Amino acid sequence: MNAVSVAVALSLVSAVAYAAAAVAQERLASRSPGSGVLRLLGSGAWWSSVGLNASAALLHVVALRYGPLTVVQPLGALTLVAAVPMGARLAGRRVSAVEWNGTALTLLGLGAILVTASGPAPDDVLSVPEALAVAGATAALIGVLSRPGARPGLRHATASGMASGVASALTQTVTVAATDRSGPLLSVQVVGVALLVAAFAAGGLLLSQVAYRGGLGAPLATVTLANPLAAAVIGLSLLGERLQGGPAGVLLALAGAGLASWGVVLLSRAAPAAAPVDDDHPVAAVLALEPGSATAEPALVPRPHDPGHLTPATR
């Protein structure tokens, strides 16, 4: 099995773990209003979702060691494939036709982007000045997206996707620099960039928790789209990665981005009627999502939601 095949296999398993974590976060956000952050940190259900995210992130880190950003990051779209039916199952309802159409368009678009991706196992890394410049620009954009205003779910999801995409790009720098044996393991580059990875990974997790308060489908689709796009910009502009097919490949990638964006729009309009939740479902039991088991910051979750409502009116 070559390096890219290993990266693809690891990315598939990582996507399923991320999907389970996203469903857990959405359920916590929708059914846990009225308490503070300290109570959230004391929730076993919340820590279960963090554990799922951590496992998925570890697999993702290893995948980034074997495959380029332009291959590994678009495979994150499979998170959406797993999460939409998983969330519907836990809510006791069928996936709506609009959700299927939105999911299909998002995946088709990201698939087109993936087709144009190319490159061997990564060997180029960001320098410290480049990493700091990327971190500063991303932090400024996240600050703008996180301001109060209309459609907070979509904006926070975009910010979360950007944070996660940048964290992946920085993670690749850490893993390659730490394993190429060309310098000390704990060099300034490795340690400094690792701290930036931790900051953006934590920021992406918290931003996604805010975004999921209104539902799962559209916010997760937006995260799924913003993440590979942010990483691809860094890979193509700073790490020497390329798209296949020349001008035709660029057009295919742009068409894919358009299809994926339309899929996000469809998911943001989907709002099927809620159905009762089967709290005895085995997946819910594994995630420890019993009613009242966790709480969230009231500023993040302003009012109760029907726990069965996993698809938002807005993203």
Side-chain angles (χ1 to χ4, degrees), residues 39-223:
R39 293 286 300 277
L40 179 64
L41 294 177
S43 163
W46 189 79
W47 285 109
S48 294
S49 71
V50 171
L52 285 168
N53 265 309
S55 300
L58 180 60
L59 291 169
H60 186 72
V61 167
V62 180
L64 286 170
R65 180 61 186 90
Y66 291 100
L69 283 169
T70 48
V71 170
V72 173
Q73 291 304 114
L75 289 173
L78 295 173
T79 298
L80 188 61
V81 173
V84 169
M86 188 185 300
R89 173 61 177 153
L90 290 179
R93 64 169 179 84
R94 294 179 180 273
V95 178
S96 70
V98 175
E99 286 177 304
W100 280 126
N101 290 338
T103 299
L105 286 173
T106 302
L107 293 176
L108 183 62
L110 289 173
I113 296 173
L114 179 60
V115 167
T116 65
S118 64
D123 56 9
D124 199 4
V125 296
L126 296 174
S127 65
V128 173
E130 287 175 336
L132 292 174
V134 167
T138 304
L141 287 173
I142 289 174
V144 172
L145 291 168
S146 300
R147 293 186 303 175
R151 303 179 73 82
L154 287 173
R155 289 188 290 102
H156 282 90
T158 302
S160 175
M162 290 176 54
S164 299
V166 170
S168 292
L170 296 175
T171 296
Q172 188 175 71
T173 288
V174 172
T175 56
V176 173
T179 58
D180 65 0
R181 300 179 182 178
S182 62
L185 179 61
L186 297 180
S187 65
V188 173
Q189 183 183 36
V190 172
V191 175
V193 177
L195 292 175
L196 291 176
V197 169
F200 279 104
L205 177 64
L206 294 175
L207 286 164
S208 66
Q209 181 71 63
V210 177
Y212 294 147
R213 71 185 184 186
L216 179 65
L220 182 57
T222 302
V223 171

Side-chain angles (χ1 to χ4, degrees), residues 7-37:
V8 170
L10 292 170
S11 297
L12 296 180
V13 181
S14 175
V16 173
Y18 272 129
V23 172
Q25 285 182 276
E26 189 276 334
R27 286 170 62 84
L28 287 169
S30 67
R31 76 198 320 180
S32 308
S35 299
V37 171

Side-chain angles (χ1 to χ4, degrees), residues 292-305:
S293 63
T295 54
E297 173 63 43
L300 303 185
V301 186
R303 56 189 171 85
H305 280 63

